[in-house]
Amino acid sequence: QNKQPCALPFDSGEDEAPPEPIKPAPNARFVATSLYFYAWRTLHQALPLLVELGGEEYDTAYAKKAHAGLDGMWPAPSVDKAKAAAEAYCSASPALLSKAASEEIAWDGFHGDAARRHRDFPRRCFEAAYVDVLLRDVVGVDPSGRALLVAIKLRGVELDWTLGAVLDADAHALRRPRHIPHASGVDGTVPVTKKHGGWRFFLLGFCGIALL
């Protein structure tokens, strides 16, 4: 029995075209968590190390500029700034990425130990490319805008796509207005100024991706 990927609402047959990109409302805002956070936060933390360790083999000037663009908007960067940072990150050689993964700095907790970073860092290139295509071509986010807040925690609670699905379904059921988040911390935490059940958070989740 053939099984289709969970993210695709079509069977990829030759006689069926992919769906048109979603067109969000002009002022729509999203909280991007899980894979989005892990991919973009790795770019945000690792690029300064790549600049420091790169030497002549690495375009440090471009990487420094790309990081400045991402950092200047963090934690609500545009898709374009994230793409530029991903290009700088992914231009690093495997040896350079390995060297950066071995460094012991104040990494976020999700990076784990050096062994985990050695495993995860090469994967971030695929993940960053996946996120870019998904946001541009599927969700239809304005690549130069700041519709996305990258977050891993909300009021101290770690986010995941399942929590986002529950909150989104709840908001639809009660016809609640959409909340527009504002960036405040390096961890991407969204401040909530009112304790009101009507605030809606649309969380971009992702289907599980197993990378060999």
Side-chain angles (χ1 to χ4, degrees):
Q1 182 180 358
N2 294 328
K3 295 182 179 180
Q4 71 176 36
C6 60
L8 302 179
F10 61 103
D11 63 10
S12 299
E14 294 182 358
D15 59 345
E16 188 171 0
E20 291 295 322
I22 301 169
K23 295 182 179 179
N27 295 322
R29 297 292 184 270
F30 305 92
V31 179
T33 187
S34 290
L35 181 66
Y36 303 87
F37 180 86
Y38 300 143
W40 286 3
R41 181 60 172 161
T42 298
L43 306 179
H44 189 223
Q45 286 200 295
L47 274 176
L49 266 180
L50 297 178
V51 169
E52 180 183 340
L53 302 172
E56 295 181 358
E57 67 175 28
Y58 186 60
D59 190 346
T60 56
Y62 178 76
K64 187 180 296 185
K65 180 180 178 181
H67 178 262
L70 184 70
D71 186 60
M73 289 185 167
W74 192 263
S78 68
V79 176
D80 281 341
K81 294 298 184 183
K83 181 180 181 180
E87 289 174 346
Y89 177 90
C90 297
S91 68
S93 66
L96 180 55
L97 283 180
S98 178
K99 189 183 297 185
S102 298
E103 292 291 309
E104 295 296 341
I105 64 170
W107 298 108
D108 284 4
F110 74 89
H111 287 296
D113 58 13
R116 180 169 180 175
R117 295 193 296 273
H118 278 281
R119 182 194 70 190
D120 288 348
F121 275 20
R123 301 178 179 181
R124 300 305 184 203
C125 286
F126 171 83
E127 292 167 356
Y130 169 82
V131 166
D132 185 76
V133 171
L134 185 64
L135 293 175
R136 288 174 188 270
D137 301 334
V138 179
V139 181
V141 171
D142 177 4
S144 63
R146 302 184 68 180
L148 291 155
L149 173 67
V150 188
I152 196 60
K153 289 183 178 180
L154 179 65
R155 296 181 66 183
V157 177
E158 188 164 342
L159 303 171
D160 206 343
W161 72 269
T162 49
L163 175 61
V166 170
L167 292 176
D168 187 55
D170 179 63
H172 274 294
L174 298 180
R175 297 182 180 178
R176 294 172 176 172
R178 180 176 296 167
H179 172 60
I180 300 177
H182 297 279
S184 69
V186 70
D187 66 345
T189 299
V190 183
V192 178
T193 57
K194 294 183 180 180
K195 295 182 178 180
H196 188 278
W199 294 86
R200 173 189 174 195
F201 297 92
F202 185 91
L203 307 178
L204 288 174
F206 69 98
C207 294
I209 298 176
L211 301 177
L212 298 178

